[in-house]
Amino acid sequence: MPLSPAQPGEQQTTYADMWFDPACPWAWITSRWLLEVEKVRNVSVSWHVMSLGVLNEGRDLPEEYERSIASSWQAVRVCIAAEQRFGPEVLGGLYTALGTRFHNNAEPRTLDTVRAALADAGLPADLAEAADSTEYDEALRASHAEAMKLVGEDVGTPVVQVEGASFFGPVVTPIPRGEDAGKLWDGVRLVAGTDGFFELKRTRTRDPIFD
């Protein structure tokens, strides 16, 4: 259904999309920033799944990071299973439940934690059966490919799209709050919407801060 045109004096809603893997701490911070943006700008965010496992297939990884990637598959499979059964509107709540346990509470990325997150999100416990199944991998890979198509193959999670502009990041810590979140949103949109702009980066000197 086409959107109704904004009335005089009415600010039209901006729609954004974010692709996430619940295991990524930097994506988690970006997602919490976007929730702050929704409070101070007329923005509505939709959530989609991408996969660090799919992203890193065939790559020569350090052993510790390879183990971390291996432990990420369960959560993304459960997210896709939830989306397939109940629609994309459940992803925001499930992501919040998973991310809070993984990152804020530093709980292990185990099936027990995934089950607890499903309960937090009010979703059926039997969705956990998808964690170690390949049943939903085709849908998972399709969702991941949608993000990669927007930004190319040499980036990771998160991927954000807004009004035709797509980008990796922003990678930021701690989580910008209030009007600081809004100002960063304004700046990111300006930069990402500039024709021919590709990269702005500096070395990270902080670990992720989730408070």
Side-chain angles (χ1 to χ4, degrees), residues 78-94:
V78 170
C79 285
I80 284 291
E83 180 184 27
Q84 292 285 299
R85 192 188 302 184
F86 297 106
E89 59 270 15
V90 304
L91 283 177
L94 180 54

Side-chain angles (χ1 to χ4, degrees), residues 62-147:
E63 186 176 343
E64 183 177 352
Y65 189 59
E66 190 170 1
R67 287 196 300 268
S68 177
I69 294 299
S71 72
S72 72
W73 282 94
Q74 290 184 326
V76 289
R77 283 170 167 163
V78 170
C79 285
I80 284 291
E83 180 184 27
Q84 292 285 299
R85 192 188 302 184
F86 297 106
E89 59 270 15
V90 304
L91 283 177
L94 180 54
Y95 182 26
T96 292
L98 287 164
T100 298
R101 287 183 174 274
F102 288 166
H103 306 299
N104 295 69
N105 300 347
E107 296 180 35
R109 294 204 299 264
T110 62
L111 191 53
D112 284 343
T113 303
V114 172
R115 289 192 184 102
L118 284 168
D120 294 342
L123 292 168
D126 67 346
L127 285 169
E129 296 172 6
D132 295 313
S133 167
T134 59
E135 179 180 357
Y136 296 97
D137 283 9
E138 184 177 352
L140 172 60
R141 291 176 184 279
S143 184
H144 179 88
E146 186 179 4

Side-chain angles (χ1 to χ4, degrees), residues 13 17 33 49 56-57 83 88 90 105 110 127 137 153 193:
T13 300
D17 299 271
W33 162 66
V49 183
N56 286 282
E57 282 180 326
E83 180 184 27
V90 304
N105 300 347
T110 62
L127 285 169
D137 283 9
E153 297 293 333

Side-chain angles (χ1 to χ4, degrees), residues 13-17 38 41-46:
T13 300
T14 297
Y15 294 93
D17 299 271
E38 287 186 325
R41 298 290 187 270
N42 196 11
V43 171
S44 178
V45 181
S46 296

